[in-house]
């Protein structure tokens, strides 16, 4: 029964990964791409260039800061939205549907809409000028990074909302009823009942969200176009530039492999922490 999934894993993941590793060891460019199997073998030269000469570390810093800021802002928004729609009330189904609108809209459409909104003289600058704020351009210059963060927050917070809502659904309603009978305040219920049960789902959602933010290519590509400002060139964006603008396919493959290793760090930390928590729970249960 595991054979179909294993075959799919090999075809979709392992074979492309092996090809990327092999390409990263070649001097592969627009002149050698036609016969890439015969391209000059240069060992780790692409990796050395990716780490030392290319803006890999700068793009990594941009990706990490962008992902962390977006995740830290979306967590309280998503949890608050989940708490607001946990209990039944008239119109709750409509509210839940509206909350999911930013998440179900394709990234291409979201970026196109926000690109129009944040154009000079657009809706965004018009609303800010009404309150006396004139920050300048939003699709270029130092504000471009914050434009990317704002749009990503708007598009991504429903994911945290869904995971937090699923965690809330696992809490028995009898627990809240017993707490209410004992005179426990709403804040104490959140602190001692809700938040402990949300720790696991929110932690998982945070890790997945960070990885999704870092790997988001469509949003910055459509939002800013080419050439994009330097402060929004995330890791996928840098890989695209090296491949399809500089035509350094071997260097872009090395950059992608380095990015994969860097992105595996938060996932490894989460799995390690989850394993330690599971071990402590088993020890406490014994």
């Amino acid at each position: 029964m595991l054979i179909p999934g294993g075959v799919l894993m090999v075809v979709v993941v392992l074979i492309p990964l092996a090809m990327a590793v092999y390409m990263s060891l070649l001097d592969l460019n627009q002149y050698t791409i036609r016969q890439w199997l015969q391209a000059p073998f240069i060992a780790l030269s692409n990796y050395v260039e990716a780490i030392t000469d290319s803006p890999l570390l700068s793009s990594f810093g941009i990706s990490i800061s962008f992902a962390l800021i977006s995740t830290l802002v979306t967590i309280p928004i998503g949890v608050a939205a989940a708490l607001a729609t946990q209990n039944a009330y008239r119109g709750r189904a409509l509210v839940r549907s509206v909350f999911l609108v930013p998440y179900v809209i394709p990234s291409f459409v979201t970026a196109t809409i926000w690109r129009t909104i944040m154009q000079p003289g657009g809706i965004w600058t018009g609303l800010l000028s009404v309150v006396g704020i004139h920050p300048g351009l939003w699709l270029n210059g130092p504000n471009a990074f914050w434009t990317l963060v704002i749009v990503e927050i708007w598009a991504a917070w429903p994911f945290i909302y869904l995971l937090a809502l699923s965690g809330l659904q696992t809490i028995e309603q009898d627990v809240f009823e017993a707490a209410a009978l004992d005179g426990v305040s709403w804040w104490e219920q959140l602190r001692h009942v809700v938040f402990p049960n949300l720790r696991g789902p929110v932690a998982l959602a945070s890790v997945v969200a960070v990885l999704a933010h870092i790997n988001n290519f469509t949003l910055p590509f459509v939002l800013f176009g080419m050439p994009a400002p330097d402060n929004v060139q995330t890791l996928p964006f840098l890989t695209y530039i090296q491949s399809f603008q500089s035509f350094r396919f071997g260097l872009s493959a090395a950059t992608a492999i380095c990015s994969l290793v860097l992105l595996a760090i938060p996932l490894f930390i989460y799995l390690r922490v989850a394993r330690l928590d599971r071990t402590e729970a088993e020890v406490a249960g014994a």
Side-chain angles (χ1 to χ4, degrees), residues 158-198:
F159 175 73
I160 305 293
Y161 158 69
L162 286 174
L163 269 292
L165 185 62
S166 65
L168 288 175
Q169 301 301 317
T170 62
I171 305 175
E172 297 292 339
Q173 192 64 29
D174 296 341
V175 177
F176 294 103
E177 295 176 356
L181 291 176
D182 292 338
V184 179
S185 64
W186 179 77
W187 169 248
E188 292 296 326
Q189 292 183 30
L190 287 180
R191 182 180 177 184
H192 298 290
V193 178
V194 174
F195 290 156
N197 286 275
L198 287 182

Side-chain angles (χ1 to χ4, degrees), residues 235-251:
L235 291 173
F237 217 124
L238 176 63
T239 304
Y240 174 85
I241 292 173
Q242 291 175 342
S243 292
F244 301 106
Q245 282 199 323
S246 302
F247 300 106
R248 298 286 305 281
F249 302 106
L251 178 61

Side-chain angles (χ1 to χ4, degrees), residues 15 59 144 163:
I15 292 179
S59 294
L163 269 292

Side-chain angles (χ1 to χ4, degrees), residues 94-223:
L94 177 61
V95 174
R96 285 183 170 180
S97 301
V98 172
F99 282 173
L100 292 177
V101 168
Y103 190 64
V104 299
I105 296 178
S107 296
F108 180 87
V109 178
T110 298
T112 303
I113 293 173
W114 278 95
R115 181 181 176 90
T116 304
I117 291 174
M118 290 189 164
Q119 288 285 348
I123 299 175
W124 184 260
T125 55
L127 292 176
L128 292 179
S129 62
V130 171
V131 296
I133 301 176
H134 303 281
L137 299 177
W138 284 91
L139 298 176
N140 204 348
N143 289 332
F145 175 80
W146 297 109
T147 298
L148 183 62
V149 170
I150 291 171
V151 178
E152 182 72 6
I153 290 172
W154 184 86
W157 72 264
F159 175 73
I160 305 293
Y161 158 69
L162 286 174
L163 269 292
L165 185 62
S166 65
L168 288 175
Q169 301 301 317
T170 62
I171 305 175
E172 297 292 339
Q173 192 64 29
D174 296 341
V175 177
F176 294 103
E177 295 176 356
L181 291 176
D182 292 338
V184 179
S185 64
W186 179 77
W187 169 248
E188 292 296 326
Q189 292 183 30
L190 287 180
R191 182 180 177 184
H192 298 290
V193 178
V194 174
F195 290 156
N197 286 275
L198 287 182
R199 186 177 63 176
V202 171
L204 175 61
S206 300
V207 174
V208 175
V210 167
L211 297 177
H213 297 328
I214 294 176
N215 287 316
N216 194 340
F217 168 77
T218 304
L219 188 64
F221 179 76
V222 178
L223 188 60

Side-chain angles (χ1 to χ4, degrees), residues 241-269:
I241 292 173
Q242 291 175 342
S243 292
F244 301 106
Q245 282 199 323
S246 302
F247 300 106
R248 298 286 305 281
F249 302 106
L251 178 61
S252 66
T255 301
I257 298 300
C258 293
S259 302
L260 178 63
V261 174
L262 294 173
L263 294 180
I265 295 175
L267 181 60
F268 174 78
I269 294 174

Side-chain angles (χ1 to χ4, degrees), residues 69-107:
I69 293 173
S70 301
T71 303
L72 291 176
V73 175
T74 54
I75 286 176
I77 297 176
V79 172
L83 291 173
T85 58
Q86 176 192 11
N87 298 323
Y89 55 85
R90 189 174 183 179
R92 183 180 67 167
L94 177 61
V95 174
R96 285 183 170 180
S97 301
V98 172
F99 282 173
L100 292 177
V101 168
Y103 190 64
V104 299
I105 296 178
S107 296

